[in-house]
Structure formats: C-alpha cells, structure tokens
Amino acid sequence: MIHALLTGIKENLIYVVVASLVAGLAFGQVAGTETKGVLRAAVVPILFLMIYPMMINIDLREVVNVRDHAGPVGLSLLINFGVAPLLAVGLSRWFFGGAVEYAVGLYFIALIPTSGMTAAWTGLADGDLEAALVAMAVNLLAAIVILPAYLSVLVPADVGFDPSTLYRQLAQIVVVPMAAGTVTRRLLLRRYSAAGFKRLKPVFGGLSSLGVMLIVFVAMTLRSGQILADPVASAVTVVPLVVFYAAILGIAAALGRLLRDPARGVALVYATSMRNLSIALAIVVAADGVPSAAVLPIALAYVVQPPLGAVYMHYRRDIVGEGLSLREAVGRIGSG
C-alpha cells in the first residue's frame, strides 16, 4: 500500500504540486504564528526526505566516463552555465522588472541543471542513456561549485545575499545527503545486486516526490501573505518560465545536431531542459538572505517542466522515429 502511494505521488507529481501549492496558499491565510513556527521547524527534516532518496538514484561514479561523452557533456555545460544564466537575466529584466524575488527564483532554476527525470526521459525518447547519466553527474557537481559565484553577481547587493553562507548551506542541504546517498547506493547494490536495486528505485523516487509535496505546501504556507498580496503579478511568473524552457530546448536541439548522433542529441536536450527543481527548492526554502517569494517560480516550474519533457519525447518517438515531418504529423492528428 505504501509502495502504491509513493508511486502514485511520483506519477502524478504535477497535480500533487498544484494541489500542495493551492492548499499551502489557502492554509497560510488562516495559520497562526505557532503553527507556522512548527512548519519552519519541519523544513530541515522534509528537505532531507526530499534530497536524500534522490541522491541514492544518482550514480556520481559516471563522472569517470566523461571522456567517452565529451561532446554532449561539453555542450551541456555550455548551455547550462553559459546560455541559461544569460537567458534568465534577460527574461527577468523583461518580465519581472523590480520583482527581484521572482528573478532570484528563475536564477536558481537556470543554475541547477539535470534532474532524475533527465535519465528517464532520455530512455523513453530512445536517447543515449549513458551520455545522459554522465552529463547529470558532471553538471550537478559543477552546479554545487559554480552556483554561489554566479548568484553573487546576479543577485542585487541590497538583497543581502552572502555567497559564503550559501556554500555552508549547500554542504548541509546537498553535499551531506549526496554523500549519504552514495554510501547507501553502494550498500544496496552490494546486498540486492543491480536488478534488485532497480526494483527499489521507484520507492526512492516516490519518497523524494513526497518531500516535494510537503515542502511546496510548507513554503506556500509560510509565504502565502506575500504571494497573495499581488496575485496577478504572482500568476504572471509562469510566462517567462514557459519562454525559458522552450528556448533552452530549442537551443539544445539545434546544438545537438553538431554531435551528428541523434541519440546523443536527445541526451543533450534532456540534460539541459530538465532542471533540478528539488535542489533549487531546497536551497531557496532553507537559505538565509534569499527572498522568500523566490519559491513561487520554482514551484510553478514543476507544472511546466514535465509536459515539456513529454512533448519532446513524443516528438522524437512518434514523429522523428517514424520519419514524419511536422506537417504530416499534424495532418494525421487532423484526419484522426
């Protein structure tokens, strides 16, 4: 029963996140100071529940294979730490103007690439799974090192952001669960073998998704007053998110043609268009000096990102895979 519940949460994460977001905003309007204090105390345990199982599913040893996949990994680093931050800055200035808290949320989305779904979508779209796994490991480790330095430049000085503090929080929120997850992964592989471990992976994904559900609810409850003070401006934050994701996917697909290997091109697309929203959300909720409303764009990104992955997967399998043009595919849909 627990296994079915966790699997259900993971498979319906979009709806779960939306429900948690709405419930948190509503509950935040009636929750008292004491209740919010209890929720603040629960943040750290929930973050560990969210990040630790995710790290069990990531094999950081894939970094040693980087030479075999230099093309897609190199292009993924270029897009994730070159193109994505510039795009985020441009979109923030265009759409957010003076709303620095939403801009910071978009910066976190842009600077923490690759999630567990990178590998899943790559496999479903018949991409190069090994290249995707190597890109995941390399980009995640790079993000941990690069993130504070980038944010120290991007975040305005009057926000009070302290990069040295963020390094300490990254150690607590990401590095410790990463180390624990790596050790746990090795112990489980030793005990259950690769086949047995594969059967356990959905449970870890479900636990991480449960953590996402809880942290979105807590974050929205604690920030409800600020977010609902201007609901129209808050709702508009979804527009630059859609533009950001569409642009990254388009750029990655275009650059992927340079690899002259469609399977590696697919890996590149998913290693750049899938952002690690769990880590971004964890840092924003826990970090000192980060505007509290920065959590909203990240929560909304959970609604934008999965459909994007699904659309591209169907494009690769059902259109490219069958040798159809977009016009022919649209014609089939129209005739059907």
Side-chain angles (χ1 to χ4, degrees):
M1 182 176 178
I2 295 177
H3 184 279
L5 175 64
L6 294 175
T7 303
I9 291 174
K10 180 183 177 182
E11 292 178 349
N12 297 280
L13 188 58
I14 299 177
Y15 308 108
V16 169
V17 167
V18 171
S20 299
L21 190 152
V22 173
L25 290 174
F27 186 64
Q29 298 297 300
V30 298
T33 304
E34 185 176 340
T35 301
K36 290 184 178 180
V38 172
L39 291 177
R40 285 192 184 92
V43 165
V44 173
I46 294 174
L47 292 179
F48 189 82
L49 171 66
M50 182 172 68
I51 301 298
Y52 170 60
M54 180 182 72
M55 292 302 181
I56 297 175
N57 280 338
I58 296 177
D59 189 359
L60 294 176
R61 292 177 299 177
E62 293 289 348
V63 172
V64 301
N65 297 320
V66 67
R67 288 186 178 181
D68 298 331
H69 303 282
V73 171
L75 287 175
S76 70
L77 290 170
L78 173 64
I79 295 172
N80 287 330
F81 301 107
V83 176
L86 291 175
L87 183 60
V89 169
L91 290 173
S92 297
R93 291 180 178 177
W94 182 266
F95 287 96
F96 298 145
V100 66
E101 61 273 15
Y102 296 148
V104 172
L106 183 55
Y107 295 157
F108 272 93
I109 294 170
L111 289 169
I112 309 181
T114 74
S115 69
M117 289 308 296
T118 297
W121 285 123
T122 300
L124 289 171
D126 299 323
D128 188 330
L129 186 55
E130 184 174 309
L133 292 171
V134 175
M136 283 174 59
V138 172
N139 278 273
L140 180 56
L141 292 175
I144 294 172
V145 176
I146 293 173
L147 181 63
Y150 265 63
L151 290 176
S152 66
V153 176
L154 295 176
V155 178
D158 57 357
V159 172
F161 172 76
D162 182 4
S164 62
T165 301
L166 183 55
Y167 273 118
R168 291 195 296 271
Q169 288 164 335
L170 278 170
Q172 297 171 358
I173 298 168
V174 181
V175 178
V176 171
M178 180 186 291
T182 299
V183 172
T184 303
R185 180 187 181 90
R186 291 184 180 182
L187 292 175
L188 290 173
L189 284 170
R190 187 177 301 172
R191 179 170 181 179
Y192 293 105
S193 76
F197 177 77
K198 188 175 182 179
R199 288 194 295 269
L200 293 173
K201 290 184 74 172
V203 175
F204 301 137
L207 285 171
S208 185
S209 299
L210 175 63
V212 170
M213 179 189 76
L214 294 174
I215 205 64
V216 168
F217 174 79
V218 170
M220 291 298 110
T221 299
L222 297 178
R223 277 78 175 180
S224 175
Q226 183 177 357
I227 291 170
L228 293 182
D230 190 351
V232 175
S234 299
V236 168
T237 58
V238 76
V239 177
L241 287 175
V242 173
V243 176
F244 173 83
Y245 275 104
I248 290 295
L249 188 147
I251 292 169
L255 290 179
R257 297 194 183 108
L258 299 175
L259 299 172
R260 299 186 178 182
D261 181 344
R264 288 193 169 193
V266 170
L268 175 64
V269 167
Y270 284 116
T272 51
S273 61
M274 298 292 105
R275 320 307 291 177
N276 203 315
L277 302 177
S278 296
I279 292 179
L281 187 63
I283 296 171
V284 167
V285 171
D288 299 322
V290 175
S292 58
V295 71
L296 182 62
I298 301 172
L300 291 174
Y302 277 102
V303 182
V304 176
Q305 183 166 288
L308 180 82
V311 167
Y312 186 73
M313 181 268 291
H314 284 294
Y315 166 73
R316 293 297 311 180
R317 286 200 329 190
D318 302 336
I319 297 179
V320 176
E322 295 187 16
L324 301 176
S325 66
L326 281 174
R327 180 177 296 181
E328 290 172 334
V330 172
R332 280 192 179 185
I333 295 173
S335 62

